[in-house]
Amino acid sequence: MVSIMKNSKYLLPNSIIATLTLILLAVCITAGVPARLEARVYLELDSPNLRRIPIAVAPLQPLCGSQEDEKSALIGRKILIDDLEFSTFFELLDDTSSYLEEPKSCNLSQGSFDFRNWSLIGAELLIKTGYSLSGEKLVVEFRLYDTLAGKMIVGKRYRGRTKNIRLLFHKFANQVVESITGLPGEFTSKIAFCGRLGDEPAQELYSCDYDGHERRQITRNKSINISPAWSQDANKLVYTSYRRNNPDLYLIDFMKGKESLLSKRPGINAAAAWSADDRHLALMQRYENHSEISIIKAGSGETLRRLTQSSANQASPCWSPDNNEIAFVSDRSGTPQIYITTTQGGRWRRLTTKESYNANPDWPAHNDKIVFTSKIDGIFQICTIKPDGTNHHQLTFSRTNCEVPGWSPNGRHIIFTKKVNGIQQLMVMDEKGRNLKQLTFDKVDKKNPSWSANR
Amino acid sequence: MKAAKVILALVLAASLMFTFTSCTCKPGDIEEEKVTQPEAMSTPSAISSTSEIVKPTAVTAGVIKVGNRIVDIGDKIYPIYFDFDKSALRSDSRETLSELAQWMKNNPSVDIRIDGNCDERGSNEYNLALGETRAASAKKYLVYLGISPDRLETMSYGEEKPSCSDATENCWSKNRRDDFTITGK
């Protein structure tokens, strides 16, 4: 392994230090009974008639003894509301003019307000937030209340800096989703992607928050960089770069702040995918003048085994959540189709049979639906299918190609790319293909998004 | 006088029109230069792009006549093209490769790298694989024609190094190609 870059270069957006600081300083507020013990299930995620829970987000108040800062209060509330809206679990009652309560008290605790003011306007859940700002130092205290039961579900206090305000509010939004559904939220996750401006020869890697904010440039090597993939723990990123005149695989370790060359077999070393335990990588490599899937050790880059043996081309491996199987693309039937094999290789089965071009499978940790692209009537659309080949659903009905789909960390959303006004943009939708949202709007063409776990 | 003015205007208009049409209706000259631009960027050479305009049909590199000068265009060999989603060689590609093989035999110290490329349609990871086989097809044919495999290196760029970026068949057809670069002399 060769260390190529200096430490500071690869500390990510909202650097981990800030994240750790926030985690360490997040204090469980001990008013009332811990919510976990109650074990009330607010949302049955498997229910076919999943309803959105009405929630009110009270205007942010300065904590007792603190000065008002209208700008931070508005920004913070907007982040919280956007996160909850995105989750698709809540019906936001965010029109503050309909709120009955006069938001005057600096006290957020139970007993300082009347739950009926909130249940009367239909809110079953209520978030109360207080903040104090001194210079760059920001303290925010959150409480999530069940207005019908009249009790607190979760309370947290975070200390950070104003520049990390987004991260701070995203962290509590994660808490809200987890308390209500049992699933982790998606709001402190990152999306890595390749970006190229116009006809520039260079294609660099970037990252941004799940909502498109906080964009950072990851590579600056002026070469062509492709297929970024986050490790499951979101601390590492592998990608392929042509900077040594061969598509080699590199690994960035954000915790150590360093980069290493992991695989440099002549020909492609690309489309790497992490195993569920982060110990191995499956990737495309050249064998006998065509592309096969092989498995290497994530630590050393040492080849463990060649997974596929075929005279055809193989591409785009991804691991099953139980680490026992790998889905991949092969044109062994004459057209690109998705196949599944065991991680030991050997036996394989064909997954897709509809349409003549199916590619880019992604297998999520939290549900059993593989997402992929399928060329339907000449246009690539996003589809899902169960690993046994049943429940084939088309999610997009677009007039332009939808490509490279990937699951969000909790398996509730799908990211993909689509051309909008001639520019390839990042798009996101929920697992059923609803709530479509464009994440990016600038002139940079974006490709290959990879969605990390929460950081 | 008036007539002279009218004639002058007509001549001007005609010359303008000529300039204009020569830009839009004959994309060959100008566009051709654009097509090879990314290649020129990796190995910058003003001479090679000039010579492409002078002789856009040139197939192999070596020594070429540009105006009155004899120039060694060095590291530029013209690409071969493929049909959509195919890596089989077309008959025009075979002819090009035959000329290239002959040229390599005449220049035995020269090694070549073949870069396989695809158009933007389809999965970019699958296209990386397709680029591998497109490069391998050319290598296989050159070996069949008597060139030592040791002189031929291959690489795939997939759809990551387009020579033009419009969403048109004309542009896509230029991106489905093998580029040839001289790596050793």
Side-chain angles (χ1 to χ4, degrees):
Chain A
M1 292 225 289
V2 191
S3 173
I4 291 170
M5 295 294 169
K6 286 211 173 132
N7 287 8
S8 57
K9 218 164 182 181
Y10 285 100
L11 285 183
L12 248 208
N14 296 332
S15 75
I16 293 157
I17 294 167
T19 315
L20 289 175
T21 315
L22 278 173
I23 294 169
L24 290 172
L25 292 176
V27 181
C28 259
I29 298 162
T30 50
V33 185
R36 293 302 184 122
L37 298 180
E38 301 285 309
R40 175 177 165 190
V41 177
Y42 286 86
L43 276 186
E44 293 276 8
L45 293 181
D46 295 333
S47 157
N49 308 311
L50 190 65
R51 71 177 190 113
R52 288 171 177 245
I53 300 189
I55 188 169
V57 179
L60 275 59
Q61 292 302 306
L63 288 167
C64 295
S66 307
Q67 295 293 308
E68 179 157 4
D69 184 89
E70 203 180 349
K71 195 177 150 217
S72 301
L74 288 174
I75 291 173
R77 185 168 183 269
K78 171 113 174 55
I79 297 166
L80 204 48
I81 283 175
D82 288 348
D83 285 356
L84 299 175
E85 186 82 58
F86 179 84
S87 76
T88 72
F89 297 131
F90 305 100
E91 179 195 345
L92 265 298
L93 308 172
D94 63 347
D95 175 13
T96 49
S97 66
S98 67
Y99 289 1
L100 300 176
E101 187 177 282
E102 281 292 323
K104 279 190 182 129
S105 170
C106 62
N107 190 348
L108 310 172
S109 52
Q110 201 167 331
S112 67
F113 63 96
D114 190 346
F115 280 116
R116 279 175 303 174
N117 282 340
W118 299 100
S119 54
L120 268 175
I121 62 165
E124 295 175 26
L125 297 171
L126 165 68
I127 294 174
K128 287 213 155 219
T129 311
Y131 64 92
S132 86
L133 186 66
S134 70
E136 289 293 300
K137 287 181 187 163
L138 180 65
V139 178
V140 188
E141 190 176 314
F142 298 94
R143 284 153 197 260
L144 170 66
Y145 289 108
D146 177 337
T147 63
L148 301 180
K151 64 175 184 61
M152 189 174 84
I153 300 168
V154 64
K156 291 269 173 174
R157 188 185 300 122
Y158 300 90
R159 291 169 213 276
R161 301 200 159 260
T162 46
K163 66 176 180 188
N164 292 325
I165 187 169
R166 302 196 67 84
L167 177 60
L168 208 146
F169 278 80
H170 287 324
K171 282 200 165 284
F172 187 68
N174 279 343
Q175 287 292 325
V176 174
V177 166
E178 191 158 2
S179 307
I180 299 304
T181 66
L183 270 185
E186 301 159 308
F187 313 119
T188 53
S189 57
K190 295 275 177 193
I191 293 161
F193 58 92
C194 316
R196 172 183 273 157
L197 187 61
D199 292 331
E200 274 180 13
Q203 181 170 273
E204 303 282 6
L205 297 189
Y206 299 83
S207 76
C208 65
D209 283 359
Y210 93 93
D211 53 10
H213 283 89
E214 305 286 331
R215 186 176 314 173
R216 301 284 189 276
Q217 189 169 340
I218 300 177
T219 60
R220 292 176 197 278
N221 55 41
K222 296 190 170 61
S223 182
I224 295 171
N225 300 283
I226 56 170
S227 42
W230 292 102
S231 58
Q232 312 293 346
D233 66 9
N235 289 329
K236 295 181 184 130
L237 185 83
V238 287
Y239 70 101
T240 298
S241 176
Y242 284 80
R243 64 180 184 253
R244 286 175 68 256
N245 254 331
N246 187 65
D248 298 325
L249 186 72
Y250 293 82
L251 180 143
I252 301 173
D253 185 328
F254 290 106
M255 294 303 271
K256 293 181 181 154
K258 76 174 205 192
E259 184 177 55
S260 50
L261 176 55
L262 203 58
S263 178
K264 52 174 182 175
R265 198 183 157 87
I268 46 173
N269 298 271
W274 294 84
S275 61
D277 58 8
D278 276 343
R279 289 176 59 221
H280 300 114
L281 290 157
L283 78 167
M284 298 164 63
Q285 285 186 326
R286 180 199 293 166
Y287 285 88
E288 295 126 29
N289 285 326
H290 65 277
S291 170
E292 295 277 10
I293 308 296
S294 50
I295 297 181
I296 63 171
K297 291 183 179 169
S300 61
E302 183 193 330
T303 303
L304 208 64
R305 76 183 73 90
R306 173 175 164 184
L307 195 68
T308 52
Q309 308 269 351
S310 155
S311 57
N313 270 321
Q314 340 290 327
S316 303
C318 66
W319 299 69
S320 67
D322 65 8
N323 238 2
N324 289 331
E325 292 184 305
I326 286 180
F328 62 99
V329 173
S330 172
D331 59 9
R332 59 187 67 180
S333 70
T335 61
Q337 298 291 341
I338 298 168
Y339 295 77
I340 293 176
T341 184
T342 68
T343 41
Q344 299 305 312
R347 282 184 308 122
W348 50 269
R349 65 181 196 270
R350 182 169 163 176
L351 180 67
T352 51
T353 47
K354 275 188 183 178
E355 311 301 337
S356 63
Y357 196 135
N358 295 296
N360 287 108
D362 190 35
W363 202 331
H366 287 271
N367 68 43
D368 60 347
K369 287 186 286 187
I370 292 173
V371 67
F372 62 101
T373 49
S374 185
K375 195 175 183 182
I376 300 169
D377 297 329
I379 294 176
F380 283 95
Q381 307 284 1
I382 309 295
C383 298
T384 53
I385 193 168
K386 288 203 168 189
D388 64 2
T390 62
N391 288 56
H392 182 289
H393 292 297
Q394 181 178 347
L395 302 189
T396 59
F397 296 85
S398 169
R399 268 176 275 173
T400 55
N401 294 325
C402 298
E403 295 190 77
V404 206
W407 287 103
S408 70
N410 68 10
R412 300 294 294 192
H413 287 91
I414 296 165
I415 189 155
F416 60 99
T417 62
K418 180 180 160 173
K419 247 182 196 172
V420 182
N421 300 324
I423 304 288
Q424 199 85 9
Q425 302 287 9
L426 300 180
M427 310 292 290
V428 68
M429 63 187 177
D430 69 26
E431 60 177 328
K432 300 246 164 57
R434 295 176 302 212
N435 297 299
L436 182 67
K437 189 182 160 195
Q438 185 175 338
L439 281 191
T440 54
F441 296 87
D442 59 298
K443 297 271 183 228
V444 173
D445 276 302
K446 299 156 202 81
K447 285 171 129 177
N448 285 159
S450 168
W451 202 331
S452 82
N454 283 328
R455 291 174 59 90
Chain B
M1 283 301 277
K2 208 175 190 179
K5 265 187 187 167
V6 170
I7 287 163
L8 185 65
L10 278 173
V11 169
L12 271 174
S15 65
L16 273 175
M17 201 183 286
F18 178 74
T19 319
F20 190 63
T21 47
S22 66
C23 289
T24 51
C25 301
K26 269 181 68 190
D29 297 344
I30 305 298
E31 291 277 47
E32 202 70 39
E33 188 188 357
K34 273 188 182 165
V35 167
T36 52
Q37 205 60 37
E39 188 63 39
M41 260 179 262
S42 61
T43 49
S45 160
I47 295 168
S48 73
S49 58
T50 314
S51 59
E52 283 155 34
I53 301 169
V54 176
K55 203 181 172 191
T57 51
V59 163
T60 58
V63 174
I64 196 168
K65 211 177 168 194
V66 180
N68 293 325
R69 290 177 301 143
I70 302 288
V71 224
D72 182 355
I73 66 166
D75 51 2
K76 184 66 204 169
I77 302 165
Y78 288 90
I80 59 168
Y81 297 98
F82 293 86
D83 291 332
F84 176 64
D85 221 8
K86 296 278 186 290
S87 50
L89 297 175
R90 305 194 312 215
S91 57
D92 58 325
S93 303
R94 284 168 199 269
E95 281 172 37
T96 306
L97 291 172
S98 300
E99 287 179 52
L100 176 58
Q102 192 53 54
W103 181 80
M104 285 186 80
K105 282 174 185 168
N106 296 341
N107 296 274
S109 62
V110 168
D111 292 347
I112 279 183
R113 194 184 77 222
I114 310 164
D115 294 339
N117 292 274
C118 306
D119 69 35
E120 63 175 28
R121 292 173 297 168
S123 150
N124 44 5
E125 290 173 351
Y126 177 72
N127 280 341
L128 277 175
L130 187 59
E132 282 277 349
T133 47
R134 280 183 177 165
S137 293
K139 178 179 176 176
K140 207 171 153 189
Y141 195 64
L142 288 169
V143 170
Y144 165 76
L145 294 172
I147 305 300
S148 161
D150 297 343
R151 298 176 64 193
L152 302 163
E153 194 188 331
T154 60
M155 189 161 85
S156 170
Y157 273 105
E159 59 181 78
E160 311 301 336
K161 201 178 176 187
S163 64
C164 76
S165 56
D166 303 334
T168 60
E169 176 48 38
N170 183 35
C171 177
W172 290 328
S173 67
K174 288 173 185 161
N175 288 337
R176 298 188 299 262
R177 70 191 192 280
D178 278 349
D179 286 331
F180 300 89
T181 311
I182 294 172
T183 54
K185 274 183 212 182

